[in-house]
């Protein structure tokens, strides 16, 4: 038979070019890379020996039979291995756990064992092929080879379906395209055995895998030339799957955004490239990554990390050059150990995020933060609170407590602040300082705001509007940044008030400076729309952060609330006393009432009264209470009749 091996030669050429490129450029040494390298070598071997065997058979008069027998045996060996290696690559990208992987590989080894047993017996029984008078003939079991290849196609498809939630869309398309190409080549090969197409399907999948799943450019940061976050995830995943131990050092540049604004993006990128090279020489190839724009990650052995951290701290104590400027880089170093601290990629990113929040609260203090049992416990508590919060929102079990606001002029409680409270059967009371930041981060704060507003309207409708002698004129409700970023804030608030027939004048929305500063134009729009409808606004936490008179000049606040820390400072610091007295006089001249928070003693209240403050909020005049307790407290305090709520 005269063989046509043109397709086989073209496939071999393509795979050789890919192999050369694969060996020259960076390839992160993961299990996926190792399996792909083995697959590539096997496919090249299969194609090369198929061509050599065909040439030998075409020249049987010259080539000794023993040589042709060896060439045929080696070709069939590579053919059996290629299907197995493609399946092994499928197992790797499916991200099975160790037990699942063991079963998946074991299942594939059964047909592979039969294939190679028959191959070993072929020289004696002529199962796949035999030679007679130097001429090659197909054996009675030749079709088993086609069945073997088809079986692995089926296994690949089953795996892609079983792991469809893990395998991404691009990878699934590659599997389907490869299967289609391979089936066509096998079908043509079966009916036209003189045309060699065995490696055509292999070359198709090798090219598609290399251009998509193994493309090294997908794992490089273009600015620094080191690994990117995808490479970090790939490398960490490989380490965890192989049960390796190690340490991850995370270095975050605090003033990255400011540098971009001061020196320009190009100069900032040049500095990042310099930092990348420094970390590259520190950690070595395949162990250094730029995870976020302002964050570098170094993976190292657990025995070397302290030495590396010391080196980083030494270098960062010196100046870095950016353009003609020499600057010290404000930074945070976070240290995590695996598998002690984390065993999965989601855990790694979750703990890293938690450490970043700890580091933000630790600004200006110790720049190196290393995980310990308390931090890991804090991370898992945060996760637990997230689940508790999600359940509470689903079941609408968020509770609303009310704290009295006392009028120094009228000598009675005239208003309330609504405060969200979260309780759990296991954790008990969860402070707002814990669950509110979590809600702000994941977007649940909008739903909390909706629940609090509706509960306040129910409270007013049931207990206040029917008993105006109680003396409560308004309820103050905190509104978050996320709520204010909604274009339809008016439509989210007014229908709830209308549902419970609540006068808009009874609602005061409290805003912090961070709320106003995030979207000032949108905030002005909201304040005008809701203000025209009769809703008032109070500036909360006045005196902290950037909350000052500049916001009063821009935004139409009808009330100002002085933060508890400012109140404490007034009684403990002479400078703060002078500043706060001036602020109070300024509010009086502007005609803006002030609520002073954090008043806990009689002498503090008397001092605020001497200064002309209108309203007091603090434990001296009442703690936050659930609605029925709050009503009893107000009734007793204000001597109101008991006919409310009937």
């Amino acid at each position: 038979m005269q063989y046509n091996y043109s397709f086989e030669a073209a496939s071999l050429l393509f795979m050789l070019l890919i192999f050369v490129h694969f060996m020259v450029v960076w390839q992160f040494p993961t299990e996926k890379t190792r399996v792909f390298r083995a697959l590539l070598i096997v496919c090249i071997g299969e194609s090369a020996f198929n061509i050599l065997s065909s040439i030998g058979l075409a020249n049987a008069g010259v080539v000794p039979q023993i040589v042709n027998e060896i060439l045929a045996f080696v070709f069939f060996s590579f053919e059996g291995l290629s299907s197995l290696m493609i399946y092994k690559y499928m197992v790797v990208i499916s991200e099975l756990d160790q037990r699942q992987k063991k079963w998946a590989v074991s299942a594939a080894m059964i047909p592979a064992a039969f294939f190679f047993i028959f191959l070993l017996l072929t020289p004696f029984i002529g199962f796949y092929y035999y030679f007679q008078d130097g001429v090659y003939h197909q054996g009675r079991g030749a079709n088993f080879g086609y069945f073997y290849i088809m079986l692995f196609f089926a296994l690949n498809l089953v795996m892609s379906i079983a792991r469809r939630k893990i395998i991404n869309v691009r990878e699934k398309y590659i599997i389907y395209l490869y299967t289609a190409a391979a089936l066509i080549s096998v079908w043509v090969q079966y009916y036209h055995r003189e045309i060699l197409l065995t490696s055509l399907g292999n070359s198709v999948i090798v090219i598609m895998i290399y251009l998509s799943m193994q493309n090294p450019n997908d794992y490089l940061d273009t600015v620094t030339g080191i690994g990117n976050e995808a490479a970090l995830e790939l490398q960490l995943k490989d380490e965890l799957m192989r049960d390796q131990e190690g340490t991850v050092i995370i270095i975050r540049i605090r003033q990255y955004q400011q540098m971009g604004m001061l020196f320009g993006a190009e100069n900032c990128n040049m500095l990042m490239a310099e930092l990348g090279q420094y970390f590259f020489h520190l950690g070595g190839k395949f162990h250094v990554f730029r995870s976020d724009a302002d964050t570098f990650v170094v993976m190292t052995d657990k025995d070397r990390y302290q030495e590396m951290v010391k080196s980083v701290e030494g270098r960062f104590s010196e100046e870095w050059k950016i353009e003609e400027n020499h600057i010290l880089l404000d930074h945070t170093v976070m240290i995590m150990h695996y598998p002690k601290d984390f065993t999965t990629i989601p855990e790694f990113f979750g703990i890293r995020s938690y450490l970043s929040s700890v580091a933000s609260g630790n600004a200006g203090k110790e720049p190196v933060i290393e995980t310990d049992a308390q931090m890991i416990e804090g991370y898992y508590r945060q996760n637990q609170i997230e689940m508790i919060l999600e359940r509470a929102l689903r079941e609408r079990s968020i509770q609303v407590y009310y704290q009295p606001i006392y009028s120094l002029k009228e000598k009675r409680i005239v208003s309330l602040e609504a405060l969200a409270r979260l309780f759990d059967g296991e954790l008990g009371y969860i402070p707002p300082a814990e669950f509110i930041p979590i809600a702000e981060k994941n977007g649940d704060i909008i739903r909390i705001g909706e629940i609090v507003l509706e509960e306040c309207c129910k409270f007013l409708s049931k207990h206040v509007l029917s008993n105006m002698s109680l003396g409560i004129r308004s309820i103050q409700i905190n509104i978050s940044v996320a709520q204010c970023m909604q274009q339809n804030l008016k439509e989210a608030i007014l229908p709830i008030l209308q549902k419970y027939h609540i006068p808009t004048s009874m609602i005061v929305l409290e805003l912090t400076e961070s709320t106003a500063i995030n979207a000032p134009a949108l905030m002005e729009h909201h304040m005008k729309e809701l203000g025209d409808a009769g809703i008032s606004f109070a500036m909360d936490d006045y005196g902290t952060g950037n909350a000052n008179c500049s916001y009063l000049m821009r935004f139409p606040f009808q009330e100002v609330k002085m933060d508890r820390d400012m109140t404490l400072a007034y009684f403990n610091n002479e400078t703060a006393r002078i500043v706060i007295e001036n602020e109070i006089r300024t509010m009086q001249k502007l005609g803006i009432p002030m609520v002073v928070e954090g008043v806990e003693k009689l002498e503090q209240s008397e001092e605020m009264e001497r200064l002309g403050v209108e309203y007091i909020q603090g434990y001296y005049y009442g703690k936050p209470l659930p609605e029925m307790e709050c009503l009893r407290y107000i009734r007793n305090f204000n001597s109101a009749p008991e006919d409310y709520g009937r």
Side-chain angles (χ1 to χ4, degrees), residues 561-574:
K561 302 189 74 173
M562 190 167 76
D563 185 71
R564 179 178 181 274
D565 290 341
M566 294 291 287
T567 305
L568 294 176
Y570 177 87
F571 292 100
N572 294 295
N573 183 289
E574 183 61 29

Side-chain angles (χ1 to χ4, degrees), residues 160-324:
S160 69
I161 294 169
R163 303 294 288 176
R164 60 188 178 276
K165 294 182 179 178
I166 301 298
I167 301 172
N168 64 46
V169 174
R170 181 177 62 176
E171 291 170 344
K172 281 189 281 194
Y173 279 134
I174 289 172
I175 294 163
Y176 301 148
L177 286 171
Y178 156 68
T179 303
L183 283 172
I184 292 170
S185 62
V186 169
W187 182 80
V188 174
Q189 178 81 74
Y190 182 80
Y191 288 102
H192 301 275
R193 303 198 179 189
E194 74 283 359
I195 303 175
L196 302 184
L197 295 171
T198 308
S199 296
L200 181 61
N202 292 346
S203 65
V204 169
I205 192 169
V206 163
I207 291 169
M208 288 193 294
I209 287 175
Y210 193 63
L211 292 178
S212 57
M213 292 182 276
Q214 291 292 152
N215 189 342
N217 292 327
D218 289 344
Y219 301 104
L220 291 180
D221 178 65
T222 55
V223 173
T224 62
I226 60 177
N228 57 20
E229 186 161 293
L232 169 64
E233 185 173 339
L234 195 72
Q235 196 79 341
L236 261 180
K237 190 182 295 181
D238 186 68
E239 290 275 300
L240 294 171
M241 287 181 65
R242 293 190 294 121
D243 296 323
Q244 298 296 303
E245 294 185 6
T247 297
V248 178
I249 305 170
I250 303 160
I251 305 97
R252 180 171 170 267
I253 311 302
R254 287 182 180 274
Q255 72 266 55
Y256 175 79
Q257 289 186 337
Q258 293 91 324
M259 289 191 307
M261 289 186 288
L262 286 172
F263 305 111
E266 186 177 348
N267 288 316
C268 192
N269 284 342
M270 288 173 64
L271 178 60
M272 291 297 108
E274 185 179 347
L275 284 163
Q277 288 306 302
Y278 164 73
F279 288 119
F280 177 85
H281 293 299
L282 178 72
K285 192 176 183 181
F286 305 128
H287 294 91
V288 177
F289 312 87
R290 188 185 185 197
S291 180
D292 291 320
D294 59 356
T295 303
F296 293 89
V297 177
V298 180
M299 291 174 60
T300 185
D301 299 332
K302 61 179 182 178
D303 299 326
R304 290 189 58 212
Y305 83 93
Q306 290 177 326
E307 175 189 339
M308 284 192 173
V309 170
K310 187 176 179 180
S311 175
V312 169
E313 288 301 285
R315 177 62 187 89
F316 275 75
S317 66
E318 302 173 5
E319 293 180 331
W320 296 80
K321 186 177 180 181
I322 179 167
E323 210 174 13
E324 297 302 320

